Amino acid sequence: MNKIVLITGGSRGLGKNMALHLARAGRDVILTYRERSDEAAKVVEAIEALGARAAALPLDVANSAQFAGFADAVAQVLAGWQCSSLYALVNNAGTGLHAPFASTQEDQLDQLYRIHLKAPYLLSQMLLPLLADGGRILNISSGLARFSVPGASAYAAMKGAVEVLTRYQAKELGGRNISVNVLAPGAIETDFGGGRVRDDAAMNAFVASNTALGRAGLPDDIGAVVASLLAEGNHWITGQRIEASGGMYL
């Protein structure tokens, strides 16, 4: 089986880290970016420096009208690499929202729906013809789907829906021997959400004080888990929620 993994939102943050860990594990990577082609190009260079193949394709996951054309572009990359299928799809692209339930606006809710639920649903559907039998889908959720933090109701609700979707995908795609799981990171030091966990010392200390391992998460904590979950020896794991949070709010 080929080793090609497609990661949405792979030009920065956790997606970038996932891509680099997968490259070190011998995977070739197709990553998507929304606007910053320069950032994506740097990730491609870094992957190639590790000895793997890489390509970056533009995609706004909030715009499902782009999905058919994107699938064609993926097929073209595969053809250029003399391959016909993907080994795995990682539905990672996302954005955050910190707003109280009582004041969350309809347009904010709709935006999160398009990015965090509609995109993993319809993009996975669109890419099924390109996904190899015996391949993988890994959806990205959040620890916030398990524990509750005020201001995260809309974001967490979408991630909870993704966790339900994952179980249905695992059940319905099992006939093709495709395993589907969902990874739920805890609070990570990235620029996500304005970089609050990384840059706000009080927030970082609060996270650490509520985490069994005594610190906020780092991007490498998640990239390493993704590479492990997509290793061939873990194919028997399917339909599962795996939380990588260092033991937040146990």
Side-chain angles (χ1 to χ4, degrees):
M1 181 179 292
N2 70 66
K3 308 295 184 181
I4 303 168
V5 179
L6 170 59
I7 304 174
T8 63
S11 65
R12 49 186 282 275
L14 289 184
K16 172 183 176 181
N17 194 273
M18 295 172 191
L20 294 175
H21 273 273
L22 286 164
R24 294 187 190 103
R27 306 291 185 187
D28 300 319
V29 179
I30 301 173
L31 59 94
T32 78
Y33 64 93
R34 188 166 65 92
E35 293 177 337
R36 294 294 301 274
S37 60
D38 55 335
E39 290 184 347
K42 290 178 182 178
V43 180
V44 168
E45 291 176 4
I47 291 170
E48 291 176 340
L50 292 169
R53 296 179 294 188
L57 298 174
L59 177 66
D60 180 0
V61 296
N63 183 1
S64 58
Q66 295 183 6
F67 292 176
F70 173 73
D72 290 340
V74 171
Q76 291 178 17
V77 172
L78 293 174
W81 289 351
Q82 297 183 322
C83 296
S84 59
S85 61
L86 297 165
Y87 167 70
L89 165 64
V90 181
N91 286 306
N92 165 73
T95 187
L97 174 68
H98 184 77
F101 166 76
S103 59
T104 297
Q105 302 298 305
E106 183 176 358
D107 61 340
Q108 294 175 313
L109 192 65
D110 287 345
Q111 178 78 349
L112 289 180
Y113 163 70
R114 289 193 296 271
I115 293 171
H116 289 287
L117 180 56
K118 186 177 181 180
Y121 195 108
L122 293 182
L123 186 60
S124 299
Q125 190 181 70
M126 184 66 68
L127 293 173
L128 278 179
L130 295 177
L131 188 63
D133 290 352
R136 314 288 185 86
I137 296 175
L138 181 63
N139 297 317
I140 304 301
S141 178
S142 169
L144 290 164
R146 174 177 63 85
F147 49 79
S148 301
V149 175
S153 64
Y155 174 79
M158 299 307 161
K159 291 305 191 181
V162 166
E163 295 186 3
V164 173
L165 170 63
T166 297
R167 296 196 297 271
Y168 275 85
Q169 288 175 318
K171 184 73 171 180
E172 296 191 25
L173 299 178
R176 290 183 53 191
N177 201 28
I178 293 171
S179 64
V180 188
N181 293 292
V182 60
L183 174 65
I188 309 293
E189 295 182 11
T190 69
D191 57 2
F192 188 81
R196 292 179 69 207
V197 175
R198 181 191 62 196
D199 302 332
D200 184 327
M203 173 62 74
N204 193 284
F206 174 78
V207 169
S209 70
N210 287 285
T211 301
L213 294 182
R215 64 170 174 83
L218 301 172
D220 279 336
D221 295 323
I222 305 305
V225 172
V226 170
S228 175
L229 286 174
L230 296 182
E232 293 180 11
N234 284 331
H235 183 264
W236 193 239
I237 300 172
T238 192
Q240 301 303 305
R241 178 189 189 272
I242 295 95
E243 183 171 314
S245 70
M248 281 191 73
Y249 291 111
L250 292 179

